[in-house]
């Protein structure tokens, strides 16, 4: 009789091990063949939403084979390793974790799915909103998963919430800065003073916006340093968004010598003005080229105009091109740029009796934007 029981025990252990090995083999087959085949089919048919869902749940499904195999194997195992009610709780918890894991992965595809959905509905949504929505979705999924698992283990969620209410004042004081940053992020998202990729300048930092989270905004400076600024700070600072410029200003004085004849000066002014009008990268709405003043050692022509591009590198290229064209016009008209000079009167005995400084300050081809 004992021999028969022992034989049955080993048979059940063998069946249990066989079931577990079978599901491990099925997991391998699914990973190597079935999953890749389904994914390839969806990508060829351009069913991108379904493909994203499949990719998000790939790893949870792999683990699901192991969990199902383990659950079935325990049913045939001759010994009770875990109490039935506790076993049920453990496996339900594992299933909830797998679903939460898959949904958490899927929430990352909101950055792809959400803009397409908004385009179909003809709704204009700023890019900066999408990462914010993704993070909120992930937070909700995690909180729901924890809540379901807590209820499965008979944890009193209502008591926990009530406890938060009792300690609300202490929590609010401790989390004051965090809450302030969160609402600062909400202000940035709703008012949209900038979006991801914009070049902004604040009293704290200047650079390109890379990301916005619940707590802070990440800005890449032109020195390639990554600066993390709390949202509460950004929300309360003046923000200059250079990317929103429709055009960019160039203004400077061009000083020529006093020996320049009036007719040549007039012609030079007209030619510079026409050159700017004809330039494809200069905004034609406002072009001012005027003989502005008699300076200490030069006749100053004032130039004021705007480029049609706003990015710094292209702006500098256009500015350089205009300067070279002005040099060509000066050469063609035979007009010289003024430079600092001094006149020295010397007596016959070689002693200086008068030294007149003609130039008090230098204003040569300087510009500002």
């Amino acid at each position: 009789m004992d021999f028969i029981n022992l034989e049955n025990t080993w048979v059940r252990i063998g069946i249990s091990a066989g079931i577990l090995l079978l599901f491990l083999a099925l997991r391998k087959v699914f990973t190597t063949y079935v999953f890749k085949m389904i994914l390839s089919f969806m990508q060829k048919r351009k069913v991108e939403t379904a493909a994203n869902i499949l990719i998000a749940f790939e790893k949870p499904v792999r683990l699901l084979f192991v969990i199902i195999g383990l659950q079935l194997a325990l049913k045939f195992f001759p010994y009770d390793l875990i109490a039935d009610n506790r076993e049920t709780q453990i496996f339900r918890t594992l299933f909830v974790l797998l679903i939460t894991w898959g949904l958490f992965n899927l929430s990352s595809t909101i950055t792809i799915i959400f803009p397409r959905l908004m385009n179909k509905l003809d709704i204009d949504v700023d890019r900066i909103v999408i990462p914010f929505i993704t993070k909120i979705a992930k937070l909700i999924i995690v909180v729901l998963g924890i809540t379901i698992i807590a209820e499965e283990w008979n944890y009193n969620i209502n008591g926990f919430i009530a406890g938060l209410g009792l300690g609300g004042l202490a929590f609010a004081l401790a989390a004051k800065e965090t809450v302030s940053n969160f609402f600062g992020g909400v202000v940035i998202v709703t008012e949209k003073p900038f979006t991801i990729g914009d070049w902004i300048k604040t009293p704290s930092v200047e650079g390109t916006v890379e990301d916005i989270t619940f707590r802070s905004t990440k800005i890449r400076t032109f020195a390639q340093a990554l600066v993390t600024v709390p949202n509460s700070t950004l929300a309360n600072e003046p923000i200059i968004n250079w990317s929103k410029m429709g055009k960019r200003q160039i203004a400077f004085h061009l000083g020529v010598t006093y020996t320049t004849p009036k007719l040549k000066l007039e012609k030079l002014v007209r030619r510079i003005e026409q050159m700017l009008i004809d330039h494809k990268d200069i905004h034609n709405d406002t072009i001012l080229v005027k003989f502005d003043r008699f300076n200490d050692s030069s006749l100053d022509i004032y130039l004021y105009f705007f480029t049609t591009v706003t990015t710094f590198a292209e702006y500098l290229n256009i500015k350089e091109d205009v300067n070279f064209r002005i040099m060509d016009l000066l050469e063609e008209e035979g007009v010289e740029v003024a430079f600092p000079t001094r006149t020295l009167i010397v007596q016959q005995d070689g002693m200086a009796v008068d030294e007149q400084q003609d130039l008090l300050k230098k204003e040569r081809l300087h510009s500002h934007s």
Side-chain angles (χ1 to χ4, degrees), residues 347-359:
Q347 286 184 339
Q348 290 182 354
D349 58 3
M351 295 184 62
V353 296
D354 181 34
E355 178 175 321
Q356 178 184 1
Q357 183 177 352
D358 290 330
L359 181 66

Side-chain angles (χ1 to χ4, degrees), residues 220-236:
R220 181 76 63 180
T221 67
F222 296 119
Q224 292 305 301
L226 186 63
V227 181
T228 301
V229 184
N231 288 334
S232 58
T233 302
L234 271 182
N236 290 295

Side-chain angles (χ1 to χ4, degrees), residues 141-152:
I141 290 166
V142 171
V143 170
L144 285 176
I146 293 172
T147 302
I148 294 169
I149 291 170
E151 289 181 352
E152 181 62 38

Side-chain angles (χ1 to χ4, degrees), residues 48-49 52 111-121:
E48 294 185 10
T49 303
N52 289 329
T111 54
I112 301 172
I113 298 171
F114 190 73
R116 291 175 181 169
L117 179 61
M118 292 299 100
N119 286 336
K120 288 182 179 179
L121 297 175

Side-chain angles (χ1 to χ4, degrees), residues 246-247 276 279 281-287 305-308:
K247 52 187 178 181
L276 294 175
H279 201 296
D281 294 316
I282 301 300
H283 211 288
N284 281 334
D285 285 354
T286 306
I287 295 177
F305 54 96
F306 293 85
T307 63
T308 57

